[in-house]
Amino acid sequence: MSIWGVAFVAGWLTIGLPTDPVYAFVWIWAGTIAWHSARPWRSHLRFGRDWAPVVILLVIYNLSRGFADNGAIPHAYELIVADRVMFGWLTGGDVPTVWLQQHLYKPDVQW
């Protein structure tokens, strides 16, 4: 475990903290191997098998996040329409945030 700790700190100082899912998974897996070094290799391979789908999903999620920044227009109007449909009956057809600003904002601050 000490060897793993020294290697982790050395990797942290040279490469940086593991923020990539695969890079973090490799460090966590190596840490569990170091912590349970007396166990047979089959149990260590089961750990990798069990956690591989989670790591794959995180990698796919990180890749899909980049598609949102490719010149797409944000979908803000749909949220405004949804607010009007859900809460317009309560605010007289206004968006709730606009209604709150009109009714609660007092420009004269009185301490």
Side-chain angles (χ1 to χ4, degrees):
M1 195 66 196
S2 299
I3 295 170
W4 179 86
V6 169
F8 181 79
V9 170
W12 174 21
L13 294 175
T14 57
I15 299 171
L17 282 175
T19 57
D20 179 66
V22 176
Y23 182 50
F25 173 70
V26 168
W27 276 112
I28 292 170
W29 195 7
T32 59
I33 291 171
W35 186 261
H36 301 289
S37 59
R39 288 190 180 177
W41 278 99
R42 187 175 300 243
S43 69
H44 299 306
L45 293 176
R46 279 196 305 261
F47 179 88
R49 180 201 63 200
D50 292 344
W51 283 95
V54 175
V55 173
I56 290 169
L57 285 174
L58 287 172
V59 168
I60 291 170
Y61 171 74
N62 281 345
L63 291 173
S64 69
R65 284 179 36 203
F67 293 126
D69 297 334
N70 293 336
I73 299 171
H75 298 284
Y77 186 69
E78 292 86 356
L79 297 173
I80 294 171
V81 171
D83 278 347
R84 280 194 182 132
V85 168
M86 289 189 294
F87 303 109
W89 60 272
L90 188 61
T91 61
D94 287 336
V95 179
T97 53
V98 173
W99 185 87
L100 282 170
Q101 288 174 359
Q102 290 172 348
H103 288 84
L104 299 179
Y105 176 67
K106 305 267 191 252
D108 298 328
V109 179
Q110 298 176 357
W111 296 96

